[in-house]
Every structure is written in structure tokens, then in C-alpha cells.
Amino acid sequence: MRIGELGRRAGVSPRTLRHYEELGLLAARRRANGYRDYDERDVALVAEIRSLVDLGFALEETRPFVECLRAGHPTGASCPASRAVQRRKLAEVDEWLTRLHAVRRELVSQLGDPPVPRCCFSEENR
């Protein structure tokens, strides 16, 4: 299939696919006329990349998953290198959660009980 069809099927633009190719995440074969040519495996690779990016992985972090799929494994997370990236990302998410909980506690603490309004129109100021 050509780049436009792959883009439609994968839900990304041809520009995104060319970017993946520049990074070495996607390898296009070339037809005699110079057009890029892709197959079903490329649809799976792009789906894996998009799924990981949606989870917060940087494009470079998707490389072990792509390589795992290219090696014929059933999922991108089947290989030790992919699992190591997942463990690092999980630790990063845990750190974010710890920080967010601390920020939340501080905001709740700062809010405390709301102050009593001191308005010149209230009954107690007359």
C-alpha cells in the first residue's frame, strides 16, 4: 500500500509516517516508480507507536517495541528491552503521581476553611 493508505488505516498523516521513517521507526520499501510501499506489518508497527505515544512514551522510547515486532514477536512488549522501557515509564508515572498528590495536599491545606466575607453591605457591618 502507498503512504496515503497507510496513513488512513493507521490514523496518522503521511507527514507523520515520513517522520517515523526519518527516525528509523518505519522502513518503507520503494516501488520502481520511487513511491513508498508498505504492508500489513507496517500498519501494526504504526498502531504500536501511536498506542505508546498516547500513553506518554517519547518516540525514541518506542524503538524497542518496534524492533520486537519486526523480530516477529506477537507483541511489542514481548522482549526484554521493551519490558525495561515499560518499567522505567512506570517508575516515572509513579513519581508524577507522588508529586501530584503532594501538590493536591498543599492546595487543600492552603484553601482550608473559606474566610468569612467582609462586605460593606452585610448586616454585621452596619
Side-chain angles (χ1 to χ4, degrees), residues 17-123:
L17 296 173
R18 285 189 290 274
H19 182 64
Y20 292 171
E21 188 177 340
E22 288 170 9
L23 295 175
L25 296 172
L26 187 63
R29 291 150 303 282
R30 295 287 181 158
R31 294 181 178 182
N33 60 7
Y35 289 161
R36 290 171 172 87
D37 190 35
Y38 301 97
D39 61 25
E40 292 301 319
R41 290 174 298 181
D42 297 312
V43 175
L45 288 176
V46 174
E48 182 82 2
I49 294 167
R50 296 306 312 155
S51 172
L52 292 165
V53 167
D54 288 347
L55 287 173
F57 286 81
L59 282 175
E60 189 55 39
E61 291 175 312
T62 68
R63 189 172 305 281
F65 298 87
V66 169
E67 291 170 357
C68 190
L69 284 173
R70 279 189 186 139
H73 294 276
T75 69
S78 301
C79 298
S82 305
R83 306 290 288 171
V85 172
Q86 286 177 319
R87 282 190 288 281
R88 283 193 304 271
K89 184 56 74 176
L90 182 58
E92 187 177 307
V93 168
D94 287 340
E95 288 174 20
W96 294 341
L97 288 172
T98 299
R99 176 72 181 131
L100 286 172
H101 285 298
V103 167
R104 185 181 192 290
R105 281 191 304 276
E106 181 61 26
L107 289 171
V108 168
S109 170
Q110 288 178 8
L111 283 172
D113 291 328
V116 177
R118 301 280 306 168
C119 177
C120 63
F121 300 111
S122 68
E123 288 297 317

